[in-house]
Amino acid sequence: MLDCHTLPKTKLMWGCMEKAAAAKPDNLHKSPLMFMRTRTTHLLDGMETIDAFAVAPWQQSLRQVVHISREREEAVKRFQNAEGTEIQTFTDASMKKGKVGYSILAWIDSSAKTEILRTISTGDMVNVYIAELGAIMEAVEWADRMLAASPGTWGTKVYSDSMSALEAITNPRHQSGLALIRRVARILWDNQAKGKRLQLAWVPSHA
């Protein structure tokens, strides 16, 4: 049985359940979820498929390229000491007036070179965690292109203030956002294999 009493009424699952409850089953042995699937196909288009694993369990760990410090001062000092030695890209996500979006800022030679602002959806469809993952993914894709176009680049690091998003990338589990995590991991592994320094790091908000 499905226990949905804590699920907000705005979520797609409620529409699916109401449609399924209003129809008569054509097979008494069909499971509730299978019956819901056959009766509400058009309502399921926006739902995410969560696989058993974001990445294969035998894949190389990303802990060497994702730096998460539990101490605020240590994280800030690491970021400040790296200024001038790497291309620094910052990401942030938020929800305002019911809309979820994110921003990306690339900082090169002590000046802002690239800024991206995106509104991706409404708060009843995605949450800030997904937006944080999306921002990291786009920043990593941008950094990957930078490294490919400039072979002499000394390295680049993507900074995020989302501890949960970085931990999900470092140790992915059975959770939402798997496609984004998988894409980020693939780019990080590819750059590792090429000997290029593309890393992620946590930095406190408003550091």
Side-chain angles (χ1 to χ4, degrees):
M1 293 296 291
L2 296 174
D3 184 3
C4 298
H5 70 280
T6 61
L7 189 68
K9 294 295 184 180
T10 55
K11 298 301 180 181
L12 288 174
M13 181 64 76
W14 282 112
C16 295
M17 294 177 66
E18 290 170 1
K19 288 283 186 181
K24 294 182 179 180
D26 52 9
N27 186 337
L28 295 179
H29 301 289
K30 189 176 292 185
S31 73
L33 287 178
M34 179 57 71
F35 180 63
M36 186 186 301
R37 176 69 178 86
T38 58
R39 295 286 181 175
T40 59
T41 303
H42 65 290
L43 292 176
L44 299 178
D45 292 340
M47 287 190 176
E48 176 186 10
T49 299
I50 299 180
D51 301 322
F53 298 99
V55 298
W58 54 83
Q59 286 280 13
Q60 179 183 0
S61 172
L62 291 171
R63 294 187 182 280
Q64 292 183 342
V65 293
V66 181
H67 305 285
I68 302 176
S69 174
R70 300 293 176 179
E71 297 296 330
R72 179 184 177 91
E73 291 75 12
E74 179 183 339
V76 173
K77 185 178 295 185
R78 175 182 293 171
F79 147 68
Q80 292 174 337
N81 291 341
E83 286 185 291
T85 66
E86 63 186 10
I87 297 174
Q88 296 179 320
T89 307
F90 302 90
T91 68
D92 189 34
S94 62
M95 181 169 66
K96 295 181 180 179
K97 297 181 179 179
K99 293 184 178 181
V100 180
Y102 62 76
S103 61
I104 301 171
L105 179 67
W107 199 261
I108 305 173
D109 295 332
S110 302
S111 63
K113 296 297 184 182
T114 301
E115 185 175 11
I116 299 171
L117 300 173
R118 298 201 191 283
T119 298
I120 59 174
S121 189
T122 56
D124 60 338
M125 296 297 294
V126 300
N127 54 31
V128 174
Y129 161 75
I130 292 297
E132 295 279 10
L133 283 176
I136 292 172
M137 184 193 74
E138 185 166 354
V140 166
E141 290 177 336
W142 179 87
D144 182 51
R145 292 193 298 270
M146 284 286 294
L147 291 173
S150 306
T153 301
W154 53 88
T156 181
K157 190 174 291 179
V158 175
Y159 290 89
S160 171
D161 64 358
S162 175
M163 184 81 73
S164 59
L166 292 174
E167 288 178 339
I169 293 169
T170 307
N171 187 28
R173 300 180 183 274
H174 189 71
Q175 63 197 93
S176 183
L178 295 191
L180 301 173
I181 294 170
R182 192 178 294 122
R183 174 65 176 157
V184 171
R186 187 176 296 115
I187 293 175
L188 293 176
W189 282 322
D190 287 347
N191 279 274
Q192 271 189 307
K194 296 173 184 176
K196 296 184 177 182
R197 189 163 65 90
L198 173 52
Q199 302 178 343
L200 308 181
W202 177 73
V203 64
S205 58
H206 311 297

